[in-house]
Amino acid sequence: AAGVIQSPRHLIKEKRETATLKCYPIPRHDTVYWYQQGPGQDPQFLISFYEKMQSDKGSIPDRFSAQQFSDYHSELNMSSLELGDSALYFCASSLLFSDNEVTQYFGPGTRLLVL
Amino acid sequence: QKEVEQDPGPLSVPEGAIVSLNCTYSNSAFQYFMWYRQYSRKGPELLMYTYSSGNKEDGRFTAQVDKSSKYISLFIRDSQPSDSATYLCAMSGMGAQKLVFGQGTRLTINP
């Protein structure tokens, strides 16, 4: 079965640079979530989208922005990167108004290292 | 104080043992309770989820939720070395909402 695809899998950036992370949800899934997992930490919710509209917002810095496109893929844009942004970034997808709507399927993550 | 508390371990048990993993929470609005398994450098993989209070069994895994005590558990019977991973509890409110995770418990099953 198709899973959530994230790219790139690894990314190295310098401080103050920008980064774009991409997420391709499971086919037919309409909801995308972004989470940030620091070293040894639990995943923290950043932001979510349903049908291309922002549906919820968590602890996402103002330097970050995200959107969901017409094909349901999502991109997380990160600017003015700081050392503390180094983390594993997960995307998850789900299908709203289904029997399984609360089930979020996670991608493999993008490991971002800011030097 | 975190909304969801989970003992980070590490927890090390011999193969075949029964493992008990637990989380407590403070938010009464949580209605869905999940257990995810995460291998090193991989994405969380959903093991089971339970709606409201009660038990749910799936093979060697049993999830229990006690909403009156705000306490959830995952039991693993006949543990295998392949069960070695970090186990994360996660919770959400009604509908498709963000997940709030516990810290994760690192579990090692020794052959």
Side-chain angles (χ1 to χ4, degrees):
Chain A
V4 176
I5 297 172
Q6 290 187 247
S7 69
R9 294 294 309 279
H10 303 273
L11 193 56
I12 300 175
K13 290 286 185 179
E14 300 275 345
K15 277 173 52 177
R16 293 180 288 278
E17 284 191 321
T18 61
T20 297
L21 278 53
K22 296 185 179 182
C23 168
Y24 297 86
I26 290 173
R28 296 195 307 115
H29 279 194
D30 51 18
T31 307
V32 168
Y33 308 81
W34 286 96
Y35 293 85
Q36 177 192 57
Q37 186 175 30
Q41 303 295 314
D42 51 292
Q44 294 289 319
F45 171 72
L46 292 177
I47 196 167
S48 62
F49 293 87
Y50 166 67
E51 285 290 345
K52 293 151 280 182
M53 299 285 288
Q54 180 181 307
S55 53
D56 196 3
K57 192 172 181 179
S59 50
I60 182 169
D62 293 340
R63 299 176 289 106
F64 294 7
S65 65
Q67 58 182 324
Q68 185 180 32
F69 295 85
S70 56
D71 64 351
Y72 295 103
H73 94 272
S74 178
E75 294 184 3
L76 178 65
N77 298 293
M78 310 160 71
S79 62
S80 303
L81 287 169
E82 301 174 355
L83 297 179
D85 296 329
S86 296
L88 201 50
Y89 290 83
F90 289 110
C91 170
S93 74
S94 69
L95 179 62
L96 201 59
F97 305 121
S98 70
D99 291 342
N100 236 9
E101 68 175 7
V102 298
T103 302
Q104 295 183 24
Y105 296 87
F106 282 75
T110 293
R111 185 169 295 277
L112 172 66
L113 178 61
V114 181
L115 302 175
Chain B
Q1 185 185 1
K2 289 172 67 69
E3 279 187 286
V4 180
E5 298 279 356
Q6 182 178 7
D7 186 342
L11 183 61
S12 181
V13 301
E15 183 176 356
I18 296 175
V19 176
S20 172
L21 304 168
N22 312 292
C23 290
T24 59
Y25 64 96
S26 57
N27 189 342
S28 300
F30 290 145
Q31 296 289 335
Y32 291 91
F33 304 90
M34 294 88 164
W35 285 96
Y36 281 83
R37 178 173 61 194
Q38 185 176 23
Y39 293 109
S40 182
R41 298 175 180 269
K42 303 286 187 184
E45 168 196 0
L46 180 68
L47 281 174
M48 310 176 64
Y49 82 87
T50 309
Y51 171 67
S52 196
S53 285
N55 296 353
K56 188 172 186 178
E57 188 173 320
D58 184 2
R60 296 184 295 111
F61 298 87
T62 300
Q64 288 185 353
V65 175
D66 181 349
K67 289 191 69 180
S68 62
S69 302
K70 295 189 175 65
Y71 187 87
I72 73 170
S73 301
L74 178 70
F75 297 96
I76 307 175
R77 292 183 300 280
D78 188 25
S79 55
Q80 305 292 312
S82 58
D83 295 328
S84 298
T86 295
Y87 289 79
L88 295 145
C89 63
M91 306 177 190
S92 70
M94 288 300 295
Q97 295 189 15
K98 66 182 181 185
L99 295 178
V100 181
F101 285 87
Q103 276 184 277
T105 300
R106 180 175 249 177
L107 173 66
T108 301
I109 309 297
N110 301 302

